[in-house]
Amino acid sequence: MSRLACTVHARSGRLFVKGTQLDDPSAWVYRHEAQVTRHAPLAPRLLWEVEADGWLLVGYEYVDGRHSDLAPGSPDVGSLVRTLTAVSEVPWPETLRKKPLHTRWADFLPDGVPTGLQGRSLSHTDMSPLNMLISADGRLRLLDWALACPAPAWADTAFAVLRLISSGHSPEQAEAVARQVPAYRHADPSDVGTFAHAVLVAWESMERTDPLPHRAALTTAARSWATYRGPIKA
């Protein structure tokens, strides 16, 4: 989605560069992502930011790896659990202003948002396998922190449940993986159930308004998970 995204081969080695024109309305997203990446665990290191000749460019550590395989039985699932555990332990850097997840999703949540959905942990919020790289040492690195925001410590694990289901896990199997992350294991089940139903409503809405090819499978996964969690408890 960037106007520029490329690998640069420099004398010091490879690096990944992304950016856009300074007058692009989305330029703030690149600045926000760079600031969040400074605090994010298992993210590519931020190397530099440059504004020149009408462009905003951001240089990141080049991560050499492959996209993750979240299918049942894949060793990458264990790497995902370790990464989610690390991310769940990091608080949101309060020097950064960003709308929290429960506000972003206000249209999809019931009135009177539960306290458990108003967390202030640093959350990636886009657990697509395309944003995950498995490096040679088996670590799972999370890329593209542009959508990061304050959220419950278990939110990224909940988003990962949906990706596990869409990769072939049953809801029960996906939940078993998620419960290996302490923040998710200790979350209030009613809060997680509310979250599951909110994701379904949100993704159904996106599928109607912006029907991209990948959305149908994700909506199906969200529907399966919401059904498994059962009705929202008052």
Side-chain angles (χ1 to χ4, degrees):
M1 296 176 65
S2 300
R3 286 181 179 265
L4 174 69
C6 62
T7 299
V8 173
H9 298 261
R11 284 191 295 270
S12 58
R14 289 181 295 179
L15 61 155
F16 177 71
V17 177
K18 64 192 301 186
T20 190
Q21 292 174 315
L22 285 171
D23 59 0
D24 190 311
S26 68
W28 71 272
V29 175
Y30 295 82
R31 296 189 181 93
H32 170 74
E33 181 182 11
Q35 292 173 330
V36 170
T37 302
R38 295 180 188 275
H39 303 270
L42 295 172
R45 286 181 297 111
L46 174 68
L47 301 177
W48 45 257
E49 296 176 67
V50 172
E51 294 185 14
D53 294 328
W55 281 82
L56 167 64
L57 301 177
V58 187
Y60 292 96
E61 169 194 10
Y62 183 89
V63 179
D64 196 357
R66 57 173 175 80
H67 290 300
S68 61
D69 174 10
L70 301 185
S74 168
D76 296 352
V77 173
S79 298
L80 173 64
V81 169
R82 290 188 287 274
T83 294
L84 290 170
T85 299
V87 173
S88 71
E89 295 171 349
V90 180
W92 179 258
E94 295 297 340
T95 54
L96 303 184
R97 296 181 58 189
K98 188 66 184 292
K99 186 183 297 183
L101 185 64
H102 73 272
T103 302
R104 182 197 295 178
W105 279 16
D107 292 342
F108 311 118
L109 289 166
D111 294 335
V113 179
T115 303
L117 290 173
Q118 301 178 35
R120 301 291 299 178
S121 293
L122 190 155
S123 298
H124 184 282
T125 79
D126 188 6
M127 289 289 110
S128 167
L130 295 178
N131 288 333
M132 304 174 189
L133 284 182
I134 303 293
S135 55
D137 59 5
R139 288 194 304 165
L140 189 153
R141 308 287 295 277
L142 277 178
L143 316 178
D144 196 352
W145 289 78
L147 296 180
C149 69
W154 48 265
D156 279 338
T157 306
F159 280 121
V161 166
L162 293 154
R163 301 294 179 166
L164 290 165
I165 294 172
S166 66
S167 297
H169 290 78
S170 68
E172 184 176 13
Q173 290 171 326
E175 289 264 6
V177 172
R179 285 194 295 273
Q180 296 178 51
V181 179
Y184 189 89
R185 186 168 63 247
H186 298 143
D188 187 321
S190 64
D191 290 338
V192 177
T194 299
F195 182 94
H197 284 271
V199 170
L200 174 58
V201 174
W203 285 4
E204 285 179 334
S205 174
M206 287 187 285
E207 189 179 356
R208 287 193 303 270
T209 58
D210 188 17
L212 297 175
H214 69 282
R215 294 207 191 281
L218 292 177
T219 303
T220 298
R223 187 174 297 111
S224 175
W225 187 38
T227 300
Y228 175 79
R229 296 295 310 190
I232 298 177
K233 296 180 180 180

